[in-house]
Amino acid sequence: MLKNLFKLWRRNEPKLPETANEEVLLKVIDPARLPKHIAIIMDGNGRWANQRGMPRAYGHRAGVESLRDIVKLCSELKIQYLTCYAFSTENWKRPPKEIEALMSLLVEYLNKEIDELCANNVRVNAIGRTEEFPYDVQKTLNMAINKSKNNKGLVLNLALNYGGRTELVEAIKLLGRDIKEGQLSPEAIDENVVQRYLYTSNFPDPDLLIRPSGDFRISNFLLWQLAYTEFWLTPVLWPDFRRIHLLQALVDYQCRERRFGGLKET
Ligand code: FPP
């Protein structure tokens, strides 16, 4: 009954019913049909800061609070993988001051949060060319990865110096090398083989991609992996994104029919 109402809301209403607070949404969500893997483009920090007449770094700091909230909720809901786009290969084009602020926030976040993450059984992982990050950032990242490596709960996968095209280029280079060395024949290449050469070789593809801030772009994120991912877009800026928004996304996700190019099951 409640689910039907939500289906109606999805088709006709721009806003969820006002009574749909966290408690109601949690009742509607079917724990058996949650996405295994959620990916998030944490966008809008700059605009959020701008609206307040503050420097962009202020928005990034506020964005960390959202990340904290969402990691906690994903962990509570027993989501298996959460991939968050924290720094792209294109973000080096930003002013050095902003890049520095992002690096220090990452270090601060990992140092401050690692014990709590471990207490919640969260395993930290990173994808991207992190070897190009300053040494202290790499050191802190490795500390967090090592400290949490035996945790069996949520995998918090941080996309850092990540670019979908770079990932594909690197995969193709490795494939080429293995062919040259006689370890792989070109005829043996199929989708599963390509998948094995990606940064995300050990992860399932995301079931749900969330992009806050009202932009409708992929921004070079998980280009291969998002082939059949469900998108959920919201105008809410990332620093304002809270548990309620993730719950709304999950209700919406559960109202969708995923056909992967096939037909609806009868
Ligand atoms: C995009 O917003 C966001 C980023 C480039 C960085 C995301 C970083 C955080 C949420 C905080 C730091 C992360 C960790 C893991 C500690 P934007 O700056 O492009 O916003 P705009 O589009 O409004 O300008």
Side-chain angles (χ1 to χ4, degrees):
M1 166 69 187
L2 210 44
K3 188 139 269 166
N4 284 341
L5 264 179
F6 275 93
K7 274 192 182 155
L8 268 180
W9 149 70
R10 208 181 145 235
R11 271 184 229 124
N12 306 321
E13 291 287 333
K15 270 170 84 182
L16 269 168
E18 263 166 35
T19 46
N21 56 23
E22 217 177 283
E23 206 187 326
V24 171
L25 294 178
L26 276 167
K27 273 193 196 133
V28 175
I29 291 167
D30 175 358
R33 292 193 308 114
L34 283 169
K36 262 201 185 113
H37 185 171
I38 299 176
I40 305 183
I41 300 179
M42 304 186 287
D43 192 22
N45 299 345
R47 273 163 281 175
W48 188 90
N50 222 0
Q51 285 169 2
R52 287 157 180 79
M54 298 298 279
R56 297 176 59 82
Y58 183 74
H60 295 314
R61 182 168 284 283
V64 176
E65 291 307 315
S66 307
L67 178 65
R68 207 172 270 142
D69 243 33
I70 296 313
V71 169
K72 187 131 195 295
L73 178 57
C74 284
S75 193
E76 284 167 25
L77 292 173
K78 307 221 176 317
I79 302 287
Q80 294 177 35
Y81 303 93
L82 173 67
T83 298
C84 291
Y85 207 3
F87 193 90
S88 78
T89 44
E90 286 70 40
N91 286 152
W92 296 109
K93 293 178 199 156
R94 298 194 175 198
K97 231 175 125 186
E98 185 175 345
I99 296 174
E100 267 166 44
L102 281 166
M103 298 291 152
S104 356
L105 271 177
L106 176 62
V107 168
E108 188 184 318
Y109 170 76
L110 292 171
N111 279 328
K112 257 198 194 159
E113 292 297 310
I114 190 62
D115 288 342
E116 166 110 20
L117 290 169
C118 284
N120 290 323
N121 214 9
V122 175
R123 176 159 74 83
V124 178
N125 188 68
I127 53 169
R129 297 179 60 87
T130 52
E131 66 276 14
E132 290 172 358
F133 273 0
Y135 177 67
D136 66 312
V137 181
Q138 289 187 46
K139 215 171 113 188
T140 313
L141 188 59
N142 289 336
M143 172 282 291
I145 292 172
N146 276 326
K147 251 190 161 172
S148 64
K149 68 174 186 241
N150 295 321
N151 294 343
K152 300 282 182 273
L154 173 75
V155 176
L156 170 59
N157 190 29
L158 297 172
L160 295 165
N161 197 14
Y162 173 87
R165 287 186 171 181
T166 301
E167 178 182 31
L168 290 173
V169 168
E170 283 188 17
I172 292 164
K173 273 190 189 156
L174 290 174
L175 262 166
R177 183 204 61 191
D178 286 354
I179 290 173
K180 199 170 155 199
E181 288 176 0
Q183 292 177 33
L184 183 71
S185 83
E187 292 70 34
I189 300 173
D190 61 12
E191 291 185 13
N192 290 327
V193 171
V194 173
Q195 155 77 14
R196 289 212 304 266
Y197 285 83
L198 300 175
Y199 301 149
T200 53
S201 56
N202 295 323
F203 304 156
D205 289 342
D207 303 291
L208 175 64
L209 171 80
I210 296 174
R211 177 159 196 156
S213 302
D215 285 333
F216 303 145
R217 301 189 272 275
I218 293 192
S219 298
N220 202 11
F221 191 40
L222 303 174
L223 296 180
W224 172 279
Q225 298 87 339
L226 294 177
Y228 279 103
T229 301
E230 296 294 325
F231 284 26
W232 193 78
L233 308 165
T234 170
V236 172
L237 303 174
W238 176 248
D240 290 326
F241 195 97
R242 285 293 175 271
R243 297 166 65 97
I244 187 82
H245 303 110
L246 178 56
L247 293 172
Q248 289 170 358
L250 292 173
V251 171
D252 195 357
Y253 169 82
Q254 292 196 336
C255 291
R256 298 193 190 180
E257 216 172 72
R258 300 189 74 193
R259 295 192 300 271
F260 299 92
L263 296 176
K264 187 182 172 187
E265 271 179 40
T266 49

